[in-house]
Structures are given as structure tokens and as C-alpha cells.
Amino acid sequence: MSETILLDRPSAAVEPRPQPPLGLLAEVTHRCPLRCTYCSNPLQLDPKSSELDTETWKRVFSEAAELGVIHLHMSGGEPTARRDIVELMRHAAEVGLYTNLITSGIGVDEAKLDALVEAGCDHIQLSMQGADEGITQRVGGYKGGFERKQAFARAVVARGVPLTLNAVIHRMNIHQVPEMIEKAVEFGAKRLEIAHTQYYGWALKNRAQLMPAREDVDRTIEEVETARERLKGTLVIDAVFPDYYARYPKLCNGGWGTRTFSVTPSGKVLPCHAAETITHLGFWNVRDHSLAETWYDGPAFEAYRGTSWMKEPCRSCERKHVDFGGCRCQALALTGDAANTDPVCIKSPLHESIGAMATTESAVAEPGAATYRGFRAG
């Protein structure tokens, strides 16, 4: 951390010792068959050669269970790209973690699905780029993806495993929200997440191509509320709407270093999925420190945990224990300083300019082609 940053921050008060974490996002690989335009992984992906080996991941899961973690979200990239995914799933279940596989569904044949279920997979979350083949291919850059996802969803439900569909919403597919809701019912999903794109990493690179118009967002809110009422008892619908049109920021990741954390394919332990964008932070690695050491004492976790790091207007705000100043990664991306107020907040001097930026970008009828993600093995 630079001397300037340290001098600019308010004097630190002693924060209470944090409670144990509840959830772990284990990004076991960045390899992925999809090339999504909104990819939330960092611009610099971890190559295969840097990935943690089987025994190290198993140790991480054991330490997570000992630390108090309840939910393990096994993600990527595409987690099933790892040959040891079934072994990892079995170990996680054996140490008592509730296991959620977050997958594209592509490349997971019935034999592998059976093996994962037998190993103890408790829940599966399937990404959904669109409600038909055309939009799915346009967003994910993969031909034939929708048909494979349909087949995978039905195979999961047929085996009695709870299924959540995760639909990341943006300009390219926002018109299909009603159809996505109907597809979730058709597939037999228990839950549907309508999550608007968060503009970090690759999505920030494509923001002009992805930003939806305010009127489309407002319509989506009404569509979701109507569907929730109609499908009560059949389908749970969670919704996250665009920050850029909001009045107050969301509680980012349950609070920095408060409820959950992530481990990258190469073993870095992060307070949130996008934390590596804050480049002045030092992230401890599971190769060098235990999860408990990192959770309680890691410098990256201490940096923005609690409220003592806050500057004004957050420091004296009545909402500081509600949203903890919003998203640190978004504050950095839009203001240049991760300690600033998240500029989507109405108390930020940049609030109006952020809304105007979104309105301007979404009004461009032909914003140009989005840049697809890619992965190079190494």
C-alpha cells in the first residue's frame, strides 16, 4: 500500500474480531468453454500450470470446514474442466460442507453428473445466457450451448438434485427475462437468479455494449414482481438490479471480510471475487498461510473490514452499518480510490454523473461489437 494512501485514510479504530465466515467461493480453474462478454473473472486469468493441485484443494476444504464455513460454492471458469472434480466434491462432502456446483453445463455428460451426485453434490447452479439458441450463442460465444444447457438442466432435476438457474442480464438479453422465467419453470428449477451485470473485469471492458436502458430495467422489475406473485410456491426468483441506476449501493458480498471469501485457482484468498482489481492490496496465498490466519489477520481482509477505514460522507452516514459504503471494487473503478464512497450512492458527488453515463451509453443504438472472452492454457 502506498504512503499516500495511508496518509489519506482516517486514523484506524480497533475493529471487533470478525465472526467465522459462512461461505467459500472456490474458483478451482479459470478454464471455460464459454467466452461470455460479461465474464466476472479478472482480466488476467490464472493459467492451468498455476492451479492448486488436488491435495491442496482438499486441505483448503478441510480448513474451511474447521473455520466454520457451511456453504462451498465450487466454481471457475468451468469447474468440471478439472479431471479431479469428483474427488474434490467427495472430499468437500466428507468434511461436512454443503456443496454447490456452479457450472455452464457444457461438457458435463450423464456419467460425470452421476459421479458428482454420488460423491455428494448437494446443489447445482447453471448459468443461463439466454432463453434460446441465438441469444445464448451471441452472449456466450459458443455454438449449440442452449441445447446442451437444456439437456443438462433436465438431467439434474431428474436425479432429484435442487437446481438454480443464474441469468446474468444486460442489454443483449434483457428482453428475454419473461422467457427465462418460463424456462426455469419448464426445466423444474427451484430458484432463478435474475442478476444484472456487475461492471468489473471483462464486463467493464464491454460496458457500453452491455448497459441496458433505464426503461428496460424498470420493466424488468415489474416483470419479476409479477412472476414472483404468480409462481409463489413453484419458483423462487432472486433479483439484483443495475447499480448505475440505484440510489444507494448494495451491501457488497455481505460486507468486506464479513461473511464469505474466495480462493482463486492459483490459491490467492480474496475478500470478494473482484478484489484483485484493487492492486495495492496484498493477498495471502493458501500455499503460505492457513485460511484461519488469512481470514482473521490477512492485510487485504483488514483493509476495508468494518467502518474505521471510511472517509466522508460514509464515515458519518446513518447507513454505514447497512451497506458499509457499498462496493470497494466499484469505487476504485469509477473514482480511482477504493476508499471513496461507492459513486452509485446519492451522497457521492459523482452520483449524478454515473447515472448520466449509464443513460448515455445505453442510448447508443449500435455500440459496436462486444469483445469475447478467451482462455489460453499454460
Side-chain angles (χ1 to χ4, degrees):
M1 185 180 296
S2 72
E3 183 178 349
T4 301
I5 291 172
L6 285 171
L7 291 173
D8 286 347
R9 288 177 59 176
S11 57
V14 177
E15 295 285 354
R17 184 172 173 83
Q19 294 295 310
L22 299 177
L24 163 60
L25 175 65
E27 299 173 295
V28 295
T29 183
H30 278 155
R31 288 173 281 153
C32 187
L34 299 183
R35 303 166 58 213
C36 296
T37 51
Y38 59 79
C39 181
S40 62
N41 282 327
L43 294 178
Q44 185 64 46
L45 299 175
D46 290 345
K48 181 181 178 182
S49 59
S50 74
E51 291 175 4
L52 299 178
D53 62 22
T54 305
E55 292 308 311
T56 304
W57 272 119
K58 288 164 73 171
R59 173 174 61 78
V60 167
F61 297 159
S62 295
E63 289 184 8
E66 292 169 4
L67 184 56
V69 168
I70 298 171
H71 294 99
L72 170 65
H73 306 280
M74 206 175 293
S75 184
E78 173 50 57
T80 62
R82 287 188 63 118
R83 294 181 179 179
D84 60 358
I85 190 63
V86 173
E87 183 177 354
L88 294 181
M89 183 69 70
R90 179 172 289 108
H91 181 80
E94 286 174 350
V95 298
L97 296 170
Y98 181 91
T99 54
N100 175 35
L101 180 72
I102 303 174
T103 176
S104 67
I106 293 171
V108 187
D109 59 23
E110 296 213 3
K112 181 173 284 187
L113 177 58
D114 283 336
L116 287 164
V117 174
E118 185 276 330
C121 182
D122 292 302
H123 181 275
I124 291 178
Q125 184 172 322
L126 174 65
S127 67
M128 188 178 193
Q129 286 72 37
D132 59 33
E133 175 58 33
I135 295 297
T136 300
Q137 181 177 340
R138 182 185 175 199
V139 174
Y142 186 95
K143 187 176 181 179
F146 182 73
E147 184 177 343
R148 292 189 179 201
K149 286 171 179 288
Q150 266 193 134
F152 179 78
R154 289 177 171 137
V156 169
V157 173
R159 285 158 175 77
V161 179
L163 174 68
T164 292
L165 296 182
N166 178 256
V168 177
I169 304 301
H170 42 77
R171 180 202 293 244
M172 297 182 192
N173 64 8
I174 194 168
H175 63 287
Q176 288 197 330
V177 167
E179 288 84 358
M180 290 180 181
I181 293 171
E182 295 311 311
K183 285 294 180 183
V185 175
E186 178 186 328
F187 294 164
K190 298 292 186 183
R191 182 181 297 270
L192 171 65
E193 294 182 0
I194 300 290
H196 281 256
T197 300
Q198 301 296 297
Y199 296 102
Y200 324 119
W202 205 260
L204 184 60
K205 188 181 183 76
N206 285 319
R207 188 180 64 196
Q209 289 78 20
L210 296 172
M211 184 66 70
R214 177 120 198 191
E215 56 268 27
D216 291 333
V217 173
D218 291 342
R219 186 191 68 247
T220 300
I221 293 172
E222 293 181 6
E223 290 167 346
V224 168
E225 289 304 318
T226 299
R228 277 174 171 163
E229 188 62 31
R230 176 172 58 88
L231 297 172
K232 196 174 292 184
T234 300
L235 179 70
V236 175
I237 305 176
D238 293 329
V240 179
F241 297 108
D243 288 347
Y244 284 45
Y245 294 126
R247 286 173 52 82
Y248 293 105
K250 295 188 292 293
L251 176 61
C252 183
N253 209 39
W256 184 278
T258 302
R259 296 182 185 174
T260 67
F261 64 99
S262 303
V263 177
T264 71
S266 61
K268 291 181 184 178
V269 187
L270 312 179
C272 81
H273 176 69
E276 284 181 285
T277 61
I278 308 177
T279 55
H280 70 259
L281 295 180
F283 301 103
W284 286 359
N285 196 292
V286 298
R287 293 183 171 103
D288 307 314
H289 298 273
S290 71
L291 289 186
E293 288 174 326
T294 305
W295 176 258
Y296 290 114
D297 300 313
F301 283 77
E302 291 293 293
Y304 302 111
R305 180 180 268 152
T307 61
S308 61
W309 58 270
M310 290 180 176
K311 301 193 294 188
E312 294 295 348
C314 293
R315 199 175 189 194
S316 59
C317 180
E318 71 281 0
R319 290 176 55 88
K320 70 179 180 181
H321 293 292
V322 176
D323 55 40
F324 289 90
C327 177
R328 297 303 89 223
C329 301
Q330 186 156 266
L332 175 67
L334 297 177
T335 77
D337 185 350
N340 281 342
T341 303
D342 187 333
V344 305
C345 181
I346 60 171
K347 296 189 178 185
S348 167
L350 296 175
H351 174 75
E352 290 190 7
S353 65
I354 297 303
M357 179 197 305
T359 299
T360 299
E361 290 185 347
S362 66
V364 178
E366 298 293 336
T371 304
Y372 285 107
R373 185 95 233 211
F375 180 88
R376 293 182 181 178

